[in-house]
Amino acid sequence: MQPTSPSTWSQRFESALHPSIAQFNASIGFDIELIEYDITGSQAHAQMLAHTGIISAKEGEQLVAGLEQVRQEYRRGEFTPGVDAEDVHFAVERRLTELVGDVGKKLHTARSRNDQVGTDTRLYLRDQITQIQHQVRSFQRVFLELAEQHVETLIPGYTHLQRAQPLSLAHHLLAYVEMAERDWQRLGEIYARVNLSPLGSGALAGTTFPIDRHYTAELLGFDRPYANSLDGVSDRDFAIEFLGAASLIMVHLSRLSEEVILWASEEFSFVTLKDSCSTGSSIMPQKKNPDVPELVRGKTGRVFGHLQALLVLMKGLPLAYNKDLQEDKEALFDAVKTVKACLEAMTILFEEGLEFRPARLNQAVAEDFSNATDVADYLAAKGVPFREAYNLVGKVVKTSLAAGKLLKDLTLEEWRSIHPAFEADIYAAIAPQQVVAARNSFGGTGFEQVRRAIEQTKERLSDASKDPI
Ligand code: ARG
């Protein structure tokens, strides 16, 4: 095998890298994702070098303009660096020098790839966080709209996947809006810790040049520079925190997926999947499969894996930079892509890919014992101690089941034989609509509460000041 030439490092090296090792070492295959952030970061660095007099104003301008040219070439598809460039940082610097000549060699004054890669990764993640926050908002808006349509549609509520108490479908949907709200907030909180500048930390110890780290931090929109250069180049907490937030988004989407998969089954039949968001089977012509939620549920594991990978990556690293850190990127990039794709797919699914079946849902809640608690509550409201009422109703359910009857089918005599406190209004009290309406405690499924929750959510989502920058 032909060795590659030692083009990128100092003359200290006498022989070239083995081609397989060059390939093994290179990150250009994936860190090309950072190229525009690398260029932006380098432009700020060049401006700072000129601002502090480390290079001349003219040289600063040449570097900024040259970097802009590299950006345009990349956008036009004319700049496609290969393995020989090792990584995106070398690739950009090399192309810059080809374009602007020797002045390009001044760009790397007073910085290292260690603070450079940290800067690029933060600029990238900052953008991605904002984009994901917007996606979370779109997801919430679709759910809110659906909730408005389905305040009085009922759906069985489950605990232990056993019918528990009936719910307003809107209440069920709004639970996901709340989860998404925490996701949105969490991303915002993490943003504050992503938005610090390691630029100017140098390789690990700072630099002998009179740089101005506050200047570059400000140019790049960072809140402030890292206070400690060692921490600046070796901190990846922000990436782990993001992967934690991304994992929780996936937990929420995966739970929702599981529900849709159940709802779309013949057994539940709560939703119909539309052709635009379901697929057929190659062998069973009757099938319509919920591939979207299944894929989301499946992809969730990948994001958890990336979180785990980064935690393990970091736990044994001595300060400061170690090449292990190059491994953070694929995990981060894949998690970002996965979360974005899943949020988009689930938003589309609920916007236009499925339809709830109100008639079927309302019928479902009328055909079970999920109003049993309401019978106990009825007695308790008439002065029977709740535990005693609970035991009585347990017996009623048992005998009704044996007789193949539902509670609504019991005659008034039968009710009275259980307890004399029962009166004719028991039938209204256990009708599903009333059962739901009556749960009017704060945050409950009662229609009044749900309507209030919808109004409050609407207000929250329409407040532009609460949207990301
Ligand atoms: N490609 C490297 C990374 O992603 C850039 C930093 C390299 N630094 C070094 N000291 N070798 O981490």
Side-chain angles (χ1 to χ4, degrees):
M1 261 189 269
Q2 230 5 62
T4 60
S5 65
S7 54
T8 36
W9 320 298
S10 74
Q11 298 306 311
R12 178 187 195 282
F13 288 85
E14 274 169 17
S15 70
L17 261 184
H18 186 286
S20 295
I21 298 303
Q23 183 82 47
F24 184 68
N25 191 44
S27 54
I28 188 73
F30 47 86
D31 66 15
I32 190 73
E33 182 93 31
L34 295 175
I35 186 164
E36 297 233 12
Y37 302 102
D38 192 74
I39 290 170
T40 303
S42 288
Q43 285 176 322
H45 181 68
Q47 281 174 268
M48 183 279 293
L49 291 177
H51 174 78
T52 50
I54 298 170
I55 61 174
S56 72
K58 177 148 182 277
E59 287 170 329
E61 280 162 28
Q62 283 174 308
L63 290 176
V64 171
L67 284 161
E68 201 50 39
Q69 222 177 315
V70 180
R71 190 197 299 277
Q72 296 313 325
E73 282 188 357
Y74 173 73
R75 286 188 183 170
R76 289 196 298 266
E78 292 163 13
F79 176 48
T80 49
V83 168
D84 59 317
E86 188 178 325
D87 63 20
V88 67
H89 323 293
F90 274 143
V92 169
E93 189 184 331
R94 198 170 69 180
R95 182 66 193 139
L96 172 72
T97 306
E98 280 165 14
L99 288 171
V100 301
D102 277 353
V103 64
K105 296 179 185 166
K106 291 199 171 182
L107 176 66
H108 211 53
T109 314
R111 81 171 177 185
S112 149
R113 279 185 301 157
N114 299 350
D115 55 346
Q116 190 178 353
V117 71
T119 306
D120 297 0
T121 309
R122 284 165 181 84
L123 290 174
Y124 159 85
L125 196 55
R126 211 171 69 169
D127 255 15
Q128 300 303 326
I129 284 178
T130 304
Q131 286 174 29
I132 295 171
Q133 279 190 303
H134 280 301
Q135 283 192 297
V136 170
R137 279 290 188 244
S138 303
F139 172 90
Q140 288 178 303
R141 289 198 176 98
V142 166
F143 270 62
L144 180 63
E145 208 165 292
L146 264 181
E148 280 190 272
Q149 293 164 21
H150 289 292
V151 174
E152 298 204 9
T153 305
L154 305 187
I155 184 170
Y158 297 82
T159 61
H160 314 270
L161 202 57
Q162 305 286 323
R163 295 271 181 104
Q165 290 167 355
L167 301 168
S168 152
L169 173 54
H171 192 57
H172 196 117
L173 295 169
L174 287 175
Y176 285 99
V177 176
E178 290 300 310
M179 294 178 222
E181 187 66 20
R182 289 194 293 278
D183 290 328
W184 184 86
Q185 285 172 359
R186 198 172 289 116
L187 288 169
E189 288 153 14
I190 291 167
Y191 188 99
R193 281 182 294 280
V194 173
N195 204 28
L196 302 180
S197 175
L199 194 56
S201 295
L204 76 166
T207 171
T208 54
F209 290 93
I211 58 168
D212 186 344
R213 292 191 56 207
H214 293 87
Y215 186 76
T216 42
E218 202 184 319
L219 280 181
L220 293 169
F222 285 120
D223 289 335
R224 59 181 169 82
Y226 268 80
N228 181 296
S229 62
L230 283 171
D231 186 40
V233 289
S234 62
D235 170 32
R236 293 295 183 274
D237 293 358
F238 68 96
I240 293 175
E241 281 194 65
F242 170 78
L243 291 173
S247 294
L248 279 172
I249 293 175
M250 294 306 296
V251 168
H252 300 152
L253 293 182
S254 188
R255 293 183 76 180
L256 176 61
S257 295
E258 178 61 17
E259 296 211 292
V260 175
I261 293 162
L262 287 172
W263 292 343
S265 69
E266 191 72 34
E267 287 72 10
F268 279 75
S269 296
F270 290 175
V271 297
T272 314
L273 294 176
K274 298 216 198 147
D275 292 355
S276 63
C277 288
S278 54
T279 59
S281 152
S282 61
I283 172 169
M284 296 167 281
Q286 83 283 11
K287 290 197 73 183
K288 218 172 174 189
N289 295 329
D291 289 31
V292 171
E294 286 177 316
L295 275 173
V296 170
R297 192 177 57 183
K299 285 174 189 288
T300 298
R302 275 179 41 186
V303 178
F304 294 179
H306 295 318
L307 170 63
Q308 181 72 2
L310 241 67
L311 285 166
V312 177
L313 175 74
M314 292 306 292
K315 73 177 268 295
L317 290 191
L319 294 180
Y321 180 87
N322 300 270
K323 190 69 173 234
D324 314 44
L325 289 175
Q326 182 164 287
E327 289 291 308
D328 65 353
K329 278 164 224 57
E330 284 164 294
L332 208 52
F333 298 162
D334 186 68
V336 163
K337 277 181 201 149
T338 305
V339 167
K340 285 167 88 173
C342 291
L343 269 170
E344 188 185 346
M346 288 304 269
T347 305
I348 293 172
L349 181 66
F350 276 81
E351 194 168 26
E352 56 171 81
L354 62 75
E355 223 163 55
F356 283 98
R357 302 178 59 191
R360 158 74 190 141
L361 284 160
N362 289 328
Q363 174 207 3
V365 296
E367 287 175 352
D368 60 23
F369 286 87
S370 61
N371 49 4
T373 319
D374 299 81
V375 180
D377 286 354
Y378 176 95
L379 284 179
K382 299 215 169 188
V384 181
F386 180 79
R387 189 52 66 207
E388 197 181 317
Y390 167 92
N391 286 331
L392 270 175
V393 181
K395 268 187 227 154
V396 180
V397 171
K398 195 164 134 189
T399 50
S400 304
L401 271 172
K405 279 181 162 187
L406 290 166
L407 294 177
K408 67 175 164 67
D409 302 326
L410 298 180
T411 64
L412 192 55
E413 288 65 50
E414 284 172 308
W415 280 117
R416 281 190 188 285
S417 69
I418 298 156
H419 198 284
F422 283 115
E423 288 170 59
D425 61 354
I426 179 63
Y427 295 103
I430 60 168
Q433 289 283 334
Q434 174 54 26
V435 164
V436 175
R439 295 210 153 62
N440 198 27
S441 53
F442 178 84
T445 193
F447 301 127
E448 203 184 311
Q449 290 298 322
V450 171
R451 288 206 175 86
R452 230 186 48 174
I454 286 176
E455 285 320 306
Q456 285 173 349
T457 310
K458 252 196 214 168
E459 229 168 85
R460 200 164 61 198
L461 297 189
S462 67
D463 185 350
S465 70
K466 291 192 176 158
D467 265 358
I469 349 95

